[in-house]
Amino acid sequence: MTPDAGGVDAVIDAVTAVFLVLGALMSLTATVGLLRFPDLMSRMHAATKPQVLGLFLLLAAIGLQMRQWWVWPVLVMAWIFQLLTVPVSAHMVGRAGYRTKHLHPELLSVDELEAVVQRAAAQPGDQVESTVETRVEADTPKDS
């Protein structure tokens, strides 16, 4: 099959090339952000946001270049998997980094997690003891 220069194949090839370049630039942006940003929270943001969009553009380019319908469900599933796992992993890394003090508090505009962490650190054993006492009281027969 020889594509003609003015046909649909040329347009698909041009769109594929644009998607590949933009996807690679988004991935490069994520890499530069990981290397250049000062703290964990900023690096985490740089790693997740452009990477998902870059992967989408690269997967779309692959789908366009393959020109077969059966490849699209596989590519969509790969992208959905990324959409579901990247925020969860970023949340867990960010929370672990916050608890281990791997951040610059002066760079945070709002610190919503501070009160929760302080409350959990202030009463580590109280919640366990009260739960055990409640269970023992519930299991103990009362004298009537």
Side-chain angles (χ1 to χ4, degrees), residues 35-83:
L35 296 174
R36 299 282 305 187
F37 284 156
D39 68 333
L40 176 72
M41 302 300 176
S42 301
R43 288 178 181 171
M44 182 180 57
H45 179 77
T48 57
K49 301 294 182 187
Q51 190 64 32
V52 172
L53 180 59
L55 178 70
F56 171 72
L57 291 171
L58 291 174
L59 291 175
I62 291 170
L64 287 173
Q65 197 60 37
M66 293 285 291
R67 295 185 177 110
Q68 307 233 342
W69 67 269
W70 60 266
V71 76
W72 283 99
V74 174
L75 298 175
V76 168
M77 288 302 295
W79 190 58
I80 288 174
F81 184 73
Q82 275 295 89
L83 281 177

